[in-house]
Amino acid sequence: MDMNRSGVVIRRGRPAGPRAIGLVCAVAAAGALLSGCGSSGSDTASPQKSAAPSRAVPATAASLNADQAQRKALVPKAKVDYGQALKAAIAAVPSSEAIAAELKGTPASPYWDTVVATTDGAAYAVRVDAVSGKAEQPRPQSDDPEDKQELAARLTKATVTAQQAAQTATEKTKGTVTTIELGNAEHGNNNDTVAWTVGVVTTDDWNETTYEIDATTRKVLWMNIDQD
């Protein structure tokens, strides 16, 4: 575990939080200094040579693990991105706001599992075809009064939109957003903080980097690179 100057804790491996859903770490090779021995009685050593730093090599099919292979097969098949999917879902539920989207399905039939909610906390799941962008009939979620009240309060606190949170994540890790979700922060100093969890897949190695982003300040509270 490392901590950078901004106080963001960086962990490697699978996300620890239950909501974690997917930054490529480039490792530079140190230049090796090669020296030879001079002839007997000579004080002059042979010239030193520096090895050129190695370049990052894209992951090959043989080197991919199961999760990476699944992302490689699914992500390119989605012609509709998360933003278009959320727009379609919002259109299907008038006066709603986006609170979640996740790319699912198979390479032959990819889709976005999205959730939108109205200001009173009523949530609706909307499946959006990831090729055509067509939204299916919205499906109402929990009718529990406490659930609705909690979600309504979360929506009131969140001043950062899903698109803004995704932009923050992709500015740090260039890739494809495959998951985004609004919830209570699992990291940081305040458990009452509302945060967006954003998963970004990088297409050179098919790793997923997950960010937790404060939904009021856009500050990155936590990040994780899934390399397992």
Side-chain angles (χ1 to χ4, degrees):
M1 178 177 69
D2 300 321
M3 179 174 292
N4 62 21
R5 294 182 178 179
S6 64
V8 177
V9 177
I10 301 177
R11 301 177 185 273
R12 301 190 181 279
R14 289 190 177 276
R19 292 189 297 102
I21 317 176
L23 223 170
V24 178
C25 183
V27 181
L33 296 178
L34 305 179
S35 60
C37 295
S39 58
S40 177
S42 173
D43 294 331
T44 305
S46 60
Q48 295 179 332
K49 298 180 180 180
S50 298
S54 61
R55 296 182 179 180
V57 179
T60 63
S63 68
L64 297 178
N65 61 37
D67 288 342
Q68 291 168 330
Q70 183 178 32
R71 295 174 195 130
K72 183 178 180 180
L74 179 61
V75 173
K77 299 301 181 180
K79 307 306 179 185
V80 173
D81 65 21
Y82 85 95
Q84 294 169 310
L86 288 178
K87 185 176 180 180
I90 290 171
V93 181
S95 302
S96 64
E97 299 179 44
I99 58 173
E102 182 176 2
L103 182 61
K104 293 184 176 181
T106 65
S109 183
Y111 68 90
W112 287 96
D113 188 8
T114 73
V115 181
V116 296
T118 51
T119 55
D120 62 353
Y124 300 84
V126 184
R127 177 166 167 161
V128 179
D129 190 295
V131 177
S132 69
K134 182 179 179 180
E136 294 186 357
Q137 187 70 21
R139 304 183 305 278
Q141 301 300 286
S142 175
D143 287 330
D144 184 274
E146 291 185 3
D147 289 345
K148 295 177 68 174
Q149 184 177 7
E150 181 180 354
L151 180 53
R154 190 177 298 154
L155 290 172
T156 300
K157 290 181 181 179
T159 56
V160 175
T161 66
Q163 289 79 2
Q164 289 172 327
Q167 182 182 15
T168 297
T170 53
E171 283 175 352
K172 297 182 178 298
T173 299
K174 304 301 181 183
T176 301
V177 173
T178 55
T179 58
I180 187 164
E181 181 183 6
L182 181 66
N184 291 330
E186 295 181 356
H187 304 87
N189 299 324
N190 188 350
N191 292 333
D192 292 331
T193 299
V194 178
W196 288 99
T197 299
V198 184
V200 182
V201 171
T202 42
T203 57
D204 57 347
D205 55 15
W206 302 104
N207 286 333
E208 181 179 49
T209 301
T210 301
Y211 288 92
E212 188 174 76
I213 298 168
D214 191 306
T216 60
T217 66
R218 293 181 73 170
K219 177 183 177 181
V220 175
L221 303 175
W222 175 85
M223 62 83 69
N224 178 85
I225 305 173
D226 184 358
Q227 296 176 318
D228 294 339

